[in-house]
Amino acid sequence: MTSDTTFADLGLSQAVLESLARIGYEAPTPIQAQSIPPLLDGRDLLGTAQTGTGKTAAFALPLLSRIHASDSATQVLVLAPTRELAIQVSEAFENYARGIRGFHVLPIYGGQSMGIQLKQLRRGAQVVVGTPGRVMDHLRRGTLKLDALRSVVLDEADEMLRMGFIEDVQWILEHTPDSRQVALFSATMPHAIQRVADTYLKDPAEIRIESKTSTVERIEQKFWIVAGTNKLDALTRILEVEDTDGVIVFVRTKLSSENLASRLEARGHAAAAINGDLSQAQREATIARLKSGAVDILVATDVAARGIDVDRISHVVNFDIPTDTESYVHRIGRTGRAGRTGTAILFVAPRERRLLHAIERATRAKMVPIELPSKSEIDRRRTAAFKDQITETLQNPGLGRYQRIVESYLDEHEADPKDVAAAIAMMLSQRGPAPASTVAEAPMRAETGRSERDRGGRHERADQSRPQRERERERERERERAPRSQGDEQPELELFRLAVGREHGAKPGDIVGAIANEAELDSRYIGRVRINDDHTTVELPVGMPDELLGLLQKVRVRNTPIRLQRVADASPAASARPFKAKRAESDRPKPVPRRRDARQGGPRTGSGAGGRRSNDARNRGPGAGPRAGEGPRPKLKRNRD
């Protein structure tokens, strides 16, 4: 196979190729290119390759291409040494088989309820991935039938030998049909594994992938174990304290790239997505914006990032860990160019530690664990940056005009110059980075891409003086000043239809921003936003004034009139959400407030810093607007325009 070989050249089924295109896989790794053809032909295979070379896809892709989806009997059995690897392999099969109707994969391992596994085995699964001990249990019980078995995979055979499972593996192989195909993968080939291969494999194709020396010079490699903190929150905190210039954030899928870029933009970062759906002209334009500094963060898939050569890339963040070490090396190679140093940060879930160790072996570099910066660290960072900005501004030759303004103010008001300087600093802090202790942390609005800005974001630009963003900040300041309590009711929500959708390029943030700005309605009172191909539905408070609805008729999103209208034929459950707040029988729901001056508003409520979101809110996902009983009443302010 040549370096130009594609997955389509290897003879995989169309359904599998479509899944690979969706995932964004571009070209096979060496072990995949060499393993797929013989496995497709039904030959046995003996492969020697390190973890992290892409061997899961090397056996999963060809075996899926041979699956009879109409038959629910077990056709492929994969033996793995640990429950973590069994789960990982099962997820890979599931991901590669998205286009195969009727396909099921089942992981079975010790520690999981036997009853659950029995139920799923009765349902049927074409692929079973299990640890040797639990597979033996089911074979003895007669609950795992291997009559229709076509292929057996021994994944990480040397690890199973080390853990004392090799006799169990041999017992399982003795209970499989003689006609089955066997694929054995091992990082090393000790004598015991070679004996298993000699005994149970018939004329196998032998593949050996030598580990490459992939030490990446001038790149500092770090990792963070994903635990407790939301990955997006972790990313923004890291960006807050790292000295970044240009950043590439890698994710696995096209959809993830668009979602993450939108969510970073909502937090005040200059971000853009780049993936395989972009035309060449769009791709070049996006890279040009990155080079010029108009964009600081590029959220990319592996395929789309190939060939990006931008000197200003100081950091590469692996938001999603790559599935093979070669992809990792390609990713971090985007930084540390032109003689510069670079930083690579890897997010690792606990069960992905094995891939972390494989990456360390491949790069021959020990990665440094990092802890997320604390609020006090962020505070110190923002304070230092603020002081630096003052020092830089003092050198500006145009300072004289402002000195005269301040002198005039002091003459008129007899104020202390320190107080005046502090007041000016406070004014500036509301427009850009400021000490964390002076800025309330923005709530996470992850999934819907709300237009809430994290004012402490490092990448906010000078154009933040625009009226729209000033109005957003004013609403945010009002929320911070408002008293918080738990007892007030929420209004009902009803469903509205907008004549703009995915085909117009609309995103949730566009919808929320347009309605929030034109209706002077706080974005937290806008409910669920669902974008369809040619239209969008959004939940808004019941009782919106007619003149306000008329105003929203003329609003444009992506240069398209939204033509807002109520969904008259929606079901009650969809079109209105009744009060659910607990209250005394003597209490009565208050009428939904019509548009009025903000000074007439009563106390506002919220979940509070230490409050918990309701189950309902969690089910709707982060970023969804509050429902009845969850938080503040909406406040429709008088149009100041």
Side-chain angles (χ1 to χ4, degrees):
M1 297 292 173
T2 69
S3 58
D4 296 328
T5 301
T6 67
F7 283 108
D9 298 330
L10 300 178
L12 296 170
S13 70
Q14 186 60 36
V16 170
L17 290 174
E18 289 172 0
S19 292
L20 293 175
R22 174 186 53 79
I23 296 168
Y25 284 8
E26 184 178 38
T29 64
I31 192 169
Q32 292 164 4
Q34 296 182 47
S35 299
I36 289 174
L39 289 177
L40 278 174
D41 291 340
R43 289 190 63 186
D44 288 359
L45 184 140
L46 178 60
T48 306
Q50 296 288 334
T51 299
T53 53
K55 61 182 173 55
T56 301
F59 61 77
L61 299 177
L63 298 184
L64 281 172
S65 295
R66 302 179 65 210
I67 284 286
H68 297 311
S70 58
D71 184 359
S72 62
T74 300
Q75 301 167 43
V76 175
L77 174 64
V78 181
L79 297 180
T82 65
R83 59 181 294 175
E84 290 77 18
L85 182 58
I87 293 170
Q88 184 179 318
V89 171
S90 297
E91 290 176 347
F93 268 98
E94 189 75 42
N95 204 21
Y96 301 144
R98 289 286 175 85
I100 303 177
R101 294 176 62 87
F103 173 80
H104 295 287
V105 57
L106 174 63
I108 57 175
Y109 47 83
Q112 186 185 43
S113 167
M114 181 67 78
I116 292 175
Q117 294 177 4
L118 292 174
K119 181 179 178 181
Q120 293 173 323
L121 284 169
R122 284 194 294 269
R123 181 195 66 180
Q126 289 91 349
V127 176
V128 171
V129 184
T131 52
R134 185 51 63 99
V135 169
M136 290 176 68
D137 288 344
H138 283 289
L139 287 175
R140 290 191 178 106
R141 288 168 174 256
T143 50
L144 175 60
K145 307 290 186 182
L146 300 182
D147 300 338
L149 190 71
R150 305 180 69 194
S151 303
V152 179
V153 178
L154 309 182
D155 194 8
E156 299 202 1
D158 55 345
E159 186 68 11
M160 287 192 279
L161 172 65
R162 187 187 67 80
M163 297 175 69
F165 293 150
I166 202 65
E167 292 182 359
D168 296 344
V169 170
Q170 292 174 299
W171 186 92
I172 292 169
L173 289 172
E174 293 290 345
H175 288 76
T176 58
D178 291 338
S179 59
R180 80 281 184 267
Q181 173 188 38
V182 180
L184 187 155
F185 290 91
S186 185
T188 59
M189 195 57 62
H191 293 303
I193 298 300
Q194 188 64 58
R195 284 197 299 271
V196 170
D198 293 341
T199 303
Y200 296 100
L201 275 64
K202 303 170 185 175
D203 186 27
E206 296 192 28
I207 296 169
R208 181 180 295 273
I209 303 297
E210 299 292 343
S211 59
K212 297 179 180 179
T213 301
S214 301
T215 302
V216 184
E217 298 178 356
R218 299 189 304 275
I219 299 177
E220 182 183 11
Q221 299 179 67
K222 307 176 182 179
F223 72 93
W224 173 64
I225 296 295
V226 179
T229 306
N230 179 284
K231 285 172 73 174
L232 174 62
D233 193 22
L235 176 60
T236 53
R237 286 164 66 179
I238 289 171
L239 292 174
E240 187 78 38
V241 299
E242 289 280 332
D243 288 319
T244 63
D245 188 4
V247 180
I248 298 182
V249 180
F250 280 97
V251 294
R252 287 198 185 112
T253 67
K254 300 172 186 176
L255 182 60
S256 295
S257 68
E258 294 168 357
N259 286 345
L260 184 56
S262 159
R263 291 154 69 182
L264 286 170
E265 281 190 299
R267 287 170 173 244
H269 297 280
I274 184 167
N275 55 53
D277 285 345
L278 296 184
S279 66
Q280 185 61 28
Q282 291 172 316
R283 171 188 163 86
E284 291 174 358
T286 302
I287 295 174
R289 292 174 64 205
L290 178 67
K291 288 181 176 179
S292 68
V295 165
D296 291 325
I297 302 175
L298 203 62
V299 185
T301 58
D302 287 312
V303 175
R306 301 279 175 160
I308 293 179
D309 187 1
V310 179
D311 289 345
R312 69 179 288 246
I313 299 301
S314 63
H315 286 65
V316 168
V317 179
N318 291 277
F319 193 79
D320 293 331
I321 193 169
T323 55
D324 62 86
T325 55
E326 288 193 13
S327 293
Y328 174 81
V329 173
H330 280 299
R331 286 181 178 188
I332 68 174
R334 303 304 103 198
T335 187
R337 297 201 166 200
R340 301 183 182 185
T341 58
T343 301
I345 299 173
L346 177 68
F347 285 8
V348 185
R351 62 184 178 82
E352 294 171 335
R353 285 178 180 270
R354 300 172 69 262
L355 281 173
L356 168 64
H357 299 324
I359 289 170
E360 287 181 325
R361 288 195 299 269
T363 59
R364 296 193 177 179
K366 189 70 176 175
M367 301 183 72
V368 180
I370 60 174
E371 293 184 2
L372 292 184
S374 65
K375 185 176 179 180
S376 61
E377 290 178 271
I378 295 175
D379 190 12
R380 287 194 297 270
R381 181 75 178 198
R382 293 182 183 176
T383 300
F386 199 65
K387 289 178 179 178
D388 290 343
Q389 188 177 359
I390 293 173
T391 302
E392 184 179 343
T393 306
L394 284 173
Q395 311 305 317
N396 193 313
L399 202 61
R401 175 173 178 267
Y402 297 95
Q403 288 174 335
R404 291 190 292 273
I405 294 174
V406 173
E407 289 171 358
S408 173
Y409 182 89
L410 292 173
D411 291 341
E412 294 172 6
H413 296 83
E414 297 183 354
D416 187 324
K418 290 183 179 179
D419 291 339
V420 175
I424 295 172
M426 179 178 287
M427 292 165 56
L428 291 174
S429 75
Q430 295 168 353
R431 297 192 176 197
S437 58
T438 68
V439 181
E441 292 186 3
M444 302 209 25
R445 311 241 176 219
E447 298 301 328
T448 58
R450 299 295 171 94
S451 298
E452 182 124 347
R453 299 285 176 176
D454 176 0
R455 292 196 305 276
R458 302 180 64 255
H459 301 285
E460 292 207 1
R461 299 286 186 214
D463 65 355
Q464 296 211 350
S465 60
R466 294 187 299 178
Q468 173 178 331
R469 294 189 177 177
E470 289 296 340
R471 288 198 295 270
E472 290 178 7
R473 291 197 191 90
E474 178 59 28
R475 284 192 294 274
E476 187 170 331
R477 288 194 291 273
E478 287 180 6
R479 288 197 295 273
E480 292 165 4
R481 292 193 295 264
R484 304 255 176 173
S485 67
Q486 296 288 339
D488 288 2
E489 299 103 358
Q490 275 293 112
E492 297 176 352
L493 297 176
E494 59 181 328
L495 199 63
F496 287 79
R497 185 184 191 277
L498 287 66
V500 59
R502 194 175 293 109
E503 63 188 27
H504 304 100
K507 297 180 180 178
D510 301 328
I511 304 299
V512 173
I515 295 174
N517 290 319
E518 295 300 328
E520 297 277 324
L521 177 66
D522 194 307
S523 62
R524 71 171 68 183
Y525 305 121
I526 300 174
R528 184 180 302 159
V529 178
R530 287 187 174 176
I531 297 185
N532 302 290
D533 288 339
D534 61 348
H535 73 281
T536 295
T537 59
V538 59
E539 294 173 330
L540 299 175
V542 172
M544 297 270 284
D546 292 338
E547 64 270 21
L548 181 55
L549 295 178
L551 174 66
L552 290 174
Q553 289 279 340
K554 304 172 185 177
V555 173
R556 302 175 77 87
V557 169
R558 299 287 177 172
N559 207 31
T560 303
I562 66 174
R563 296 199 291 273
L564 181 81
Q565 63 182 108
R566 288 186 176 90
V567 179
D569 58 347
S571 65
S575 61
R577 301 191 180 278
F579 289 91
K580 293 184 180 179
K582 294 182 180 179
R583 56 184 180 270
E585 291 183 3
S586 60
D587 290 343
R588 294 291 183 269
K590 298 179 178 66
V592 176
R594 300 255 173 185
R595 302 181 76 188
R596 56 182 180 172
D597 192 275
R599 291 169 295 184
Q600 298 172 337
R604 305 176 61 171
T605 64
S607 59
R612 294 187 179 182
R613 301 174 63 200
S614 68
N615 288 333
D616 188 52
R618 284 194 298 269
N619 290 338
R620 289 183 294 128
R627 290 187 177 176
E630 270 185 35
R633 295 176 58 82
K635 191 171 189 179
L636 302 179
K637 298 179 286 186
R638 186 165 56 199
N639 194 329
R640 295 191 298 272
D641 299 335

